Amino acid sequence: MKIGMIGLGKMGSNMVRRLLAAGHQCVVFDLDVDHVAALASEGAEGAATIDDLTRLLPAPRAVWIMVPAGDAVERTVEALAARLEPGDTIIDGGNSYYKDDVRRAEMLKGKGIHYVDVGTSGGTWGLERGYCLMIGGDEAPVRQLEPIFQSLAPGRGDIARTPGREDAGGSAEHGYLHCGRSGAGHFVKMIHNGIEYGLMQAYAEGFDILRGAASDTLPEAYRYTFDGGDIAELWRRGSVIGSWLLDLTAQALTEDAQLDRYAGYVEDSGEGRWTVQAAVEEAVPAEVLTASLYARFRSRQEHTFGEKVLSAMRQQFGGHLEADKKDAS
């Protein structure tokens, strides 16, 4: 299948590489011409403008957007809407707000253009591991794009099948799922990221308490000095709290036991706020997720070791740099 990709950052570029490796053809565009040239040298077809990109794609066209949520997505969708034709499809694979998806889908529907929202999880490791895809939109364009989803997703791999689901069928165990109509994909991804906030906060607080056990304010009989890297490695093996986030924490602590390279300044990219907002709208209690969001706000005023753990996890899975470190990168 031939598809366009706009936005060649960490994830966009690796998604193109994964698609090329699976035998798909990709036409790529980015404001940074070096990113376009790099992928063109690896087999993609480079486009100098959005006009070029749409011209190089056969009808019905499919264009995947991987640019920051908000104004960048809005401008890109508007630019494509002026150039695409009925039957074409725009896919937003970033972290857009689901209510914006609903509005954009309705706007494009009047032009006969399909809009598919895809919550994409995998970070900088997606090229190797594959991407978990949470998909929203009408069934017809989603079905047409299934070869793309199959190639980007991790597949069943060596993960044991869930008991009782042997005859369930469907694509969920392959790592992608059509979650519902427009906005559903990004809604599920929003909750996914809200849960991620809570999991990360739990690990961060736990490792902070382990570190605090050595405090000279404690009675000597109850004072312990733990190696955080060893504890993380231990918990990776047979523990009920094992996870990929714990794997990344173990890696970060092995690289820098005191996490001195991290200030502990932890950004939030929007989905945590939207998750809490959705909980309020639904009158659903979400104490842990709300507290984890506020912990990120507090991290910008004072930094604990736990916040360094949080920052380290974000850098490990997504390549997220701390705000005060970006200029030095």
Side-chain angles (χ1 to χ4, degrees), residues 4 9 16-17 60 66 71 75 82 151 169 173 201 272 291:
V16 169
R17 293 184 176 101
M66 285 301 290
D71 289 343
R75 292 194 303 270
S151 297
E173 67 177 6
Q201 186 65 30

Side-chain angles (χ1 to χ4, degrees), residues 4-31:
M5 179 70 75
I6 297 178
L8 305 177
K10 299 182 188 76
M11 286 185 67
S13 291
N14 280 343
M15 290 169 73
V16 169
R17 293 184 176 101
R18 190 169 173 90
L19 290 173
L20 291 173
H24 297 284
Q25 298 174 284
C26 298
V27 182
V28 299
F29 171 74
D30 192 275
L31 295 177

Side-chain angles (χ1 to χ4, degrees), residues 230-266:
D230 282 350
I231 299 297
E233 191 64 32
L234 170 70
W235 287 344
R236 291 183 64 219
R237 303 180 185 279
S239 166
V240 72
I241 63 167
S243 72
W244 186 41
L245 286 173
L246 183 60
D247 295 345
L248 297 175
T249 302
Q251 183 172 326
L253 290 170
T254 298
E255 294 170 354
D256 180 3
Q258 300 304 317
L259 301 182
D260 289 330
R261 59 183 287 204
Y262 301 98
Y265 185 106
V266 186

Side-chain angles (χ1 to χ4, degrees), residues 154-194:
R156 189 180 296 162
D158 58 1
I159 298 175
R161 303 187 80 174
T162 300
R165 286 191 60 94
E166 293 84 357
D167 300 321
S171 64
E173 67 177 6
H174 294 273
Y176 69 98
L177 181 67
H178 183 200
C179 300
R181 61 174 183 253
S182 295
H186 278 148
F187 189 97
V188 174
K189 178 59 160 52
M190 174 183 75
I191 303 306
H192 165 285
N193 283 25

Side-chain angles (χ1 to χ4, degrees), residues 118-187:
V118 181
T120 307
S121 180
T124 58
W125 296 78
L127 174 59
E128 175 186 346
R129 292 169 55 99
Y131 300 89
C132 177
L133 305 174
M134 296 147 264
I135 305 161
D138 292 339
E139 185 175 348
V142 170
R143 188 167 55 248
Q144 184 179 2
L145 290 163
E146 190 151 12
I148 297 295
F149 300 142
Q150 288 174 337
S151 297
L152 289 172
R156 189 180 296 162
D158 58 1
I159 298 175
R161 303 187 80 174
T162 300
R165 286 191 60 94
E166 293 84 357
D167 300 321
S171 64
E173 67 177 6
H174 294 273
Y176 69 98
L177 181 67
H178 183 200
C179 300
R181 61 174 183 253
S182 295
H186 278 148
F187 189 97

Side-chain angles (χ1 to χ4, degrees), residues 74 80 90 97 105 130 141 143 146 154 161 177 180 222 246 254 271-273 279 299:
E74 199 71 28
L80 288 170
I90 297 173
Y97 187 37
R143 188 167 55 248
E146 190 151 12
R161 303 187 80 174
L177 181 67
Y222 306 128
L246 183 60
T254 298
E271 297 90 336
R273 301 186 191 206
S299 78

